[in-house]
Amino acid sequence: MKGHTMTDRFRVTLAQLNPTVGDIAGNAAKARDAWAQGRNAGADMVLLPEMFLVGYQTQDLILKAAFERDAMAALDQLMAECADGPMLGIGGPLREGDKLRNAYFILKGGKVVSTTRKYFLPNFNVFDEVRLFSRADMQGPWDAGPLRVGTPICEDSWYPDVCEAMVESGAEVLMVPNGSPYFRSKHDVRMNQMVARVTECDVPLVYLNMVGGQDDQIFDGGSFVLNRHGALAVQMSWFEEAIAHVDFVQTNEGWVAEDGEKALEPDSMETDYAAMVMGLRDYMGKTGFKKVLLGLSGGVDSAIVAAIAADALGPENVRCVMLPSEYTSEGSLTDAKAAAAALGVKYDIVPIGPTRATVTETLAPLFEGLDEGLTEENIQSRIRGLLLMAQSNKFGEMLLTTGNKSEVAVGYATIYGDMAGGYNPIKDLYKTRVFDICRWRNANHRPWMKAPSGEMIPVAIIDKPPSAELRDDQKDSDSLPEYDVLDGILTMLVDDEASVAACVAAGYDRDVVKKIEHLLYISEYKRFQSAPGPRLSMKAFWLDRRYPIVNRYRDEG
C-alpha cells in the first residue's frame, strides 16, 4: 500500500522505540524497521524520537570526532535505504563549522529535505546540553506536502517561543520528538505543558517520546497526540516499545487528528516499579549481562530487589544468596527462603562464620586491647561483599546492591561491603516507599512482569522491624530515627533543598534534623563510589544533586 494521494489526509507513524547509546548501526536498523512498518501502513511520514540515531543521552561521547563521523555515515545510508516510501524524521548530531547541534532530520527521496536545530538546550537536573551543543537561530516549519509541519525538539516545546515562531511562520501541526526521562508523575507535567502550547498556538500537537533505560535515566514513552483546545486524540502506552499510525484530516477548522488508542495512565506506584524493572532490564541487556545475583538477607530491601530482578529478567536468571552469621535470626533465614521460593529463583546459603573467624584471628594482634564495635560489624558486611563479588566473577552474574535512598542518603551502608555491586534498582526509593512498593507488588501483577503473581514479598518481611543484624538485637532505629521521620526530613533536605529552620517549622526536632544533615553531608564520598540506579525523582543522587565531597558547610539557621 502506497502513501495516500489525497491531499486532505496525512498519515503519521509514531515510533516510540528504545535506542541504545552508541549502537548507531542497531539504532539505524530499528529506524529502518519502523519506516518499513509505516510504508506498509500507508504512512506519509514516520517519526522517531530525539537523537535516536546515536541514543540519548550520549554525554561526552558525542564530542568524539569518530563517533560524529560514524553517525553521519549511518544517516547517509539510512537516507538511501529509505528513499522509496514515506518521509522519515530522526534525531542526531549535526556539525556546522565549529558548532555541534542537536538536530532533527527529515529524510525524503534519498535526501535531507529539512533540518531543525534544537534552540533551548536544557542545562539542569540530568541535562548538560550547553556543554555539548550550540543553539542556532529559531526556525520555522518545513513543507510536508499537503501541510506544513513544525518540529520543535523536546525542550523547545516547554516554552512558548519556538512553537509560536513556527506556527506564526505557517506550521499547521507541531510534531515534537523527545528524549524526556521519567520522574514520578511527570506525565501530568508534560501534558500540562503541551496543552498550553496547543492552546497558545491553536494547532494539533504530536508528542513522541523515546522509551528505555540508559544508565540512571529511564525514558517512559507515554507518547500522545492533542487536537485543538487540548483534546486528547491518541495516548500511547508507557514503558514499552510501540508503533501507532495516526491520521490527520483537513477540515474547515484546519488539520485534526482522528481518535486512536487511548491507554490508561498507571498510578505512581506502578510507574516507579515499571521504571525500576525497565532500568535493570536495559542496564543488563545493553551492557551484555544475562544473569544477576544478590545477597538475600531476609529484609525488605533485598526482597524487593529480588522481585524486581525476577520481573525484569525472569526467575531463571536470578540467584539469591543468604550469607548468615551468628547474628542472623531464624526468622531471617525462614523469610529469605520463603521469598526465594515464591519468586522461583535459585537460592544458595554461604555462611560467613569461618571467614569471619579467620579475619578476626588475623587482625587480633593489631586490635588487641581495643573494644569491639563498628569495625567488627563492617568486617561482616565486607566479607559478604567479598564472597558475593567472587561468585559474580566466577559465574558471570552481575551483583545487585540493595541500599534504599534513606540509607544511601545518611551513609547507613558499608563501602566495599553491602554497597558492592554493579547496579542498585532501589537507589532512588526511600525506605517508607520500599514498604509501599512491596505491598503494591504483592497485590498487583502485570503482563510485563516475568515473575509469578501473588505474594512475592512475605508479609513477615514487611512487618518486622528493619535490622542490619550485625550484632545482637540490633535494629535500624538504634542508629536512626524511625523511617517515617527520617524520610520526612530527607525529603525536605534533599528533594526540596529546605533549610534546617524549615524542617523544624514542619515539626521535626532540631537536634534530629542537624544529625541527619551532618550524616547527609559526610556520606557524599560513599555516594560518589556507589552503583548507579534508576532515577525516580527530580533529586536522585548523581546528576540531579551534585554536591562536593569535601564540605564544611552546615546550616545553623
Side-chain angles (χ1 to χ4, degrees), residues 413-429:
T414 305
I415 198 161
Y416 322 124
D418 57 331
M419 288 179 66
Y423 194 77
N424 180 358
I426 62 169
K427 185 175 183 177
D428 198 28
L429 207 62

Side-chain angles (χ1 to χ4, degrees), residues 256-441:
V256 176
E258 292 186 339
D259 273 3
E261 168 200 8
K262 293 189 178 74
L264 295 176
E265 182 184 1
D267 65 24
S268 68
M269 285 290 169
E270 181 167 346
T271 57
D272 271 6
Y273 194 80
M276 291 185 288
V277 168
M278 172 173 277
L280 176 58
R281 185 195 69 207
D282 276 6
Y283 192 79
M284 293 285 292
K286 293 178 179 183
T287 55
F289 279 90
K290 301 283 191 281
K291 294 177 180 290
V292 295
L293 82 156
L294 64 137
L296 194 65
S297 67
V300 71
D301 297 321
S302 60
I304 194 63
V305 169
I308 291 166
D311 280 333
L313 309 171
E316 68 278 9
N317 293 311
V318 180
R319 190 165 64 87
C320 293
V321 184
M322 162 57 88
L323 300 111
S325 74
E326 69 265 38
Y327 303 119
T328 303
S329 68
E330 193 60 42
S332 291
L333 290 166
T334 302
D335 294 341
K337 187 176 181 181
L343 290 166
V345 301
K346 188 165 192 227
Y347 177 67
D348 290 316
I349 299 177
V350 180
I352 69 168
T355 310
R356 184 173 175 233
T358 301
V359 172
T360 302
E361 183 180 338
T362 302
L363 292 171
L366 293 173
F367 289 2
E368 188 177 0
L370 300 174
D371 292 337
E372 284 196 11
L374 190 59
T375 300
E376 284 70 24
E377 292 181 25
N378 287 343
I379 284 171
Q380 296 172 61
S381 183
R382 290 185 176 124
I383 289 169
R384 290 185 171 115
L386 168 69
L387 296 175
L388 288 168
M389 280 306 303
Q391 294 170 69
S392 173
N393 294 159
K394 184 62 72 176
F395 303 129
E397 300 163 336
M398 180 182 284
L399 175 59
L400 301 181
T401 183
T402 60
N404 61 69
K405 189 174 184 177
S406 309
E407 295 173 352
V408 170
V410 297
Y412 196 66
T414 305
I415 198 161
Y416 322 124
D418 57 331
M419 288 179 66
Y423 194 77
N424 180 358
I426 62 169
K427 185 175 183 177
D428 198 28
L429 207 62
Y430 284 124
K431 184 79 168 193
T432 47
R433 195 162 177 87
V434 170
F435 287 115
D436 292 339
I437 288 278
C438 286
R439 295 184 186 99
W440 181 88
R441 175 59 181 86

Side-chain angles (χ1 to χ4, degrees), residues 88-273:
L88 176 65
I90 188 168
L94 172 67
R95 169 65 59 184
E96 294 183 320
D98 64 346
K99 308 292 187 187
L100 186 64
R101 317 285 190 195
N102 177 333
Y104 198 73
F105 306 101
I106 307 299
L107 314 182
K108 180 183 180 183
K111 296 185 294 189
V112 175
V113 296
S114 174
T115 303
T116 303
R117 297 148 185 87
K118 193 170 184 177
Y119 183 76
F120 286 114
L121 302 173
N123 210 50
F124 53 85
N125 292 119
V126 298
F127 300 106
D128 248 342
E129 290 206 2
V130 171
R131 171 187 175 90
L132 306 172
F133 301 110
S134 300
R135 69 155 54 167
D137 294 335
M138 215 175 283
Q139 293 174 247
W142 50 275
D143 188 356
L147 77 166
R148 290 178 65 75
V149 175
T151 46
I153 303 170
C154 201
E155 191 76 6
D156 289 344
S157 67
W158 284 66
Y159 309 98
D161 314 48
V162 173
C163 294
E164 285 183 352
M166 288 179 171
V167 172
E168 286 168 4
S169 305
E172 298 166 273
V173 176
L174 295 171
M175 299 188 186
V176 187
N178 294 274
S180 179
Y182 172 79
F183 60 74
R184 196 172 298 129
S185 304
K186 188 170 187 180
H187 180 70
D188 291 344
V189 180
R190 291 187 192 121
M191 183 63 76
N192 290 338
Q193 286 287 343
M194 296 310 109
V195 167
R197 298 297 86 78
V198 167
T199 303
E200 294 154 3
C201 297
D202 197 34
V203 297
L205 181 146
V206 173
Y207 185 98
L208 175 68
N209 195 21
M210 70 172 57
V211 69
Q214 171 58 36
D215 294 345
D216 67 318
Q217 290 164 51
I218 313 301
F219 299 92
D220 53 326
S223 306
F224 56 88
V225 179
L226 296 174
N227 277 316
R228 286 175 179 77
H229 313 298
L232 183 66
V234 174
Q235 174 63 68
M236 295 175 71
S237 55
W238 287 264
F239 299 102
E240 63 180 7
E241 290 190 309
I243 299 278
H245 309 291
V246 181
D247 285 331
F248 283 88
V249 180
Q250 194 170 29
T251 70
N252 292 333
E253 267 81 61
W255 291 88
V256 176
E258 292 186 339
D259 273 3
E261 168 200 8
K262 293 189 178 74
L264 295 176
E265 182 184 1
D267 65 24
S268 68
M269 285 290 169
E270 181 167 346
T271 57
D272 271 6
Y273 194 80

